Structures are given as structure tokens and as C-alpha cells.
Amino acid sequence: MAHSGFSGSLTSPRFDLAVDMGHPFLNRTVDGFLKIGAVGACKVAAEETFECLHRGDVSKHKVESALKKMCKEGAYWGTIAGVYVGMEYGIERIRGHRDWKNAMVGGAVTGALVSAASNSHRQNVVKNAITGGAIATAAEFLNYLT
Amino acid sequence: MAHSGFSGSLTSPRFDLAVDMGHPFLNRTVDGFLKIGAVGACKVAAEETFECLHRGDVSKHKVESALKKMCKEGAYWGTIAGVYVGMEYGIERIRGHRDWKNAMVGGAVTGALVSAASNSHRQNVVKNAITGGAIATAAEFLNYLT
């Protein structure tokens, strides 16, 4: 226990923050936002590091723009994950049992909401809903396979 | 048991086919290909149905092109899923335990292989590997959250 690493001590207070929200719906949404937001930010960090290594030059301006991009993409991934986790939890409570249909409906609603929020056309909202549902269903199936 | 639906009787022989392959690595890969390929094909079917309803006309030519698109996108989704499931299984056997790092490495290798197979530039292969790893890690985290 005394030897828990840096990563462990970084995650624990975040999880405590999520537990403090008072309602399981909010806890899951905030937890999803933070965890998947961190994954999105790490993805941008890895991409920008590769870009710098490939080009061979690092400037203050580039580091600043990379940090901004990390925050932006982290918030975007986190929002999508938060909406999806909250939706799936709500659908599970309404339907009363867990299966891949929760993931499909949750993914479809998330796709529709995210594309409606970004001022897409009505047709694109439906297409994004279909894509969101398909991706969530595929992820749920892969989860059982692995 | 006698009242199992069409979907149940359609899935069973496929699963038997997967079990017959003789090795768990092959079984999982084929199972992932078939299941996720079916999800991809259903996604295209839903999209094309919406397109027809929206435009209001259905012709033989359009149905044919929709079927072709379903096969193409189903095979694409299935291939990605098969490679990912096989990779994750292999990495799990090599490392000896299951955690999100398997998903991350599996996703990264899958992203690199798929983009290398489609004749991308070396730089895009690395970027797709990073994106694949990030998406697989996010899906693995969401799996624990929901």
C-alpha cells in the first residue's frame, strides 16, 4: 500500500470527487467525463509529441497550442462519454435490466444530442444517432468477446 | 426454448462455426469478425433505409448499391474487430494478466495494421495507432463505468 505509484495517487482524489456528487447518475457522468477526458487529452499529448519528434523543432508557441488542443479534445471526449454513461444508466433504470440494447439506445441518443448541440442539420443528427448506436453496440459486443 | 426468435436461430450456427475452428485465437477472431461485421452491416442498412424514407423513392439500383455498401462496410468493421480481438487475446497470453493496457496496445497495433494495410503514409500509421489505442482504452474504461 505504501508503494502505490504516482498514477494511483492521482486517480484517487478524482474518484472521491465523483463519489461526493450525491446521486449515482451524477457520479457516473462526472466519472466518465474525467476518465475519458483524460484519455482524450493523453491521445492529443501523444500525437503532438510525435509531431514534435518528427519535425524536430519545439517552440513555446507550439507547446501552448498543444496544451489548448489537449484541453479542447479532452473536454470533447469527456462530454461525449459523460452523456453516454449518464444515458446508459438512465435507460438501465427505466428498462430494469442490462443488455446490449441499453448500449445501442444510449449511443444513439448520445450521437443525436452531440450532433444537435453542434448545430448540425436534421439529417446529420439522424445519421450520427445511427453511427453512435452502432459504435456503442460494437463496443458492447467486443466487451463480451475479450 | 421452442419459442426462440429468428435472431437466436440465426446467431447459433455462426457461433458453432466459430467454435469449430480448433484454436481459441481463431475462434475469437472469427467470432469478432462475424458479430461486429453484422453490426456494421446493420448500421449501413439503417442509414440507407433512412435515406430512402427521407428522399421518398426506392429503385432497384439503389437497393443493389445499398446491399453492396452493407457487405463492404460489414467486412471492414469485421476485419478491424477480428484483428483487435485476436491482438488483445495474444497480448493477454503474452503478458499473463488482463487490464486496460492490453486494450491500449491491442488498439494501437490494430490501428497501425489497418492503416498500413490501406497503404497510408508512415506518419498516418503512427497517428492511427495513437487514435486506435486511445479509442480502445476509452472503450475499456467505459466498460468498467457502466
Side-chain angles (χ1 to χ4, degrees):
Chain A
M1 290 290 274
H3 289 283
S4 67
F6 179 67
S7 145
S9 58
L10 192 71
T11 316
S12 304
R14 279 184 177 173
F15 193 72
D16 288 337
L17 174 73
V19 168
D20 277 335
M21 297 294 289
H23 192 278
F25 179 82
L26 282 175
N27 290 347
R28 281 168 191 240
T29 306
V30 172
D31 213 27
F33 178 84
L34 292 175
K35 282 194 183 157
I36 310 297
V39 173
C42 286
K43 183 216 152 207
V44 177
E47 262 181 7
E48 296 290 324
T49 310
F50 170 71
E51 194 89 9
C52 283
L53 289 174
H54 192 251
R55 298 245 169 108
D57 61 332
V58 183
S59 65
K60 202 186 157 193
H61 177 71
K62 271 193 183 165
V63 173
E64 270 174 9
S65 87
L67 280 175
K68 265 185 204 161
K69 217 176 150 191
M70 274 173 72
C71 291
K72 218 169 142 186
E73 196 144 331
Y76 186 69
W77 282 48
T79 308
I80 293 176
V83 171
Y84 171 71
V85 170
M87 278 296 150
E88 211 197 336
Y89 179 74
I91 292 161
E92 196 187 309
R93 291 301 292 269
I94 292 167
R95 290 187 63 228
H97 48 108
R98 301 173 72 112
D99 54 5
W100 61 271
K101 284 167 207 156
N102 291 352
M104 190 181 71
V105 178
V109 174
T110 308
L113 279 179
V114 169
S115 61
S118 59
N119 290 322
S120 298
H121 280 287
R122 202 171 60 87
Q123 203 177 342
N124 286 332
V125 172
V126 176
K127 282 202 176 166
N128 286 334
I130 293 171
T131 309
I135 291 172
T137 313
E140 190 76 13
F141 281 164
L142 274 180
N143 173 8
Y144 291 121
L145 285 173
T146 53
Chain B
M1 289 291 275
H3 290 282
S4 67
F6 178 66
S7 145
S9 60
L10 191 72
T11 316
S12 303
R14 277 184 179 172
F15 192 71
D16 288 337
L17 174 74
V19 169
D20 278 337
M21 295 295 288
H23 193 278
F25 179 82
L26 282 175
N27 290 347
R28 282 170 190 239
T29 305
V30 173
D31 212 27
F33 178 84
L34 292 175
K35 283 194 182 157
I36 309 298
V39 173
C42 286
K43 184 216 150 205
V44 177
E47 263 180 6
E48 296 290 324
T49 311
F50 170 71
E51 195 89 7
C52 284
L53 290 174
H54 191 251
R55 299 244 167 109
D57 60 331
V58 183
S59 65
K60 200 186 159 194
H61 177 71
K62 270 192 186 166
V63 173
E64 270 173 9
S65 89
L67 280 175
K68 263 184 205 160
K69 217 176 150 189
M70 273 172 73
C71 292
K72 217 170 145 185
E73 197 145 330
Y76 186 69
W77 283 49
T79 308
I80 293 176
V83 171
Y84 172 71
V85 170
M87 277 297 150
E88 212 196 336
Y89 179 75
I91 292 162
E92 196 187 310
R93 290 302 293 268
I94 293 167
R95 289 186 64 226
H97 48 110
R98 300 173 72 111
D99 53 5
W100 61 271
K101 284 168 207 155
N102 292 351
M104 189 181 73
V105 177
V109 174
T110 308
L113 280 179
V114 170
S115 62
S118 59
N119 290 323
S120 297
H121 278 286
R122 202 170 60 88
Q123 205 175 341
N124 286 333
V125 171
V126 176
K127 281 201 178 170
N128 287 334
I130 293 171
T131 309
I135 291 173
T137 312
E140 189 77 12
F141 281 166
L142 275 180
N143 173 8
Y144 290 121
L145 285 172
T146 54

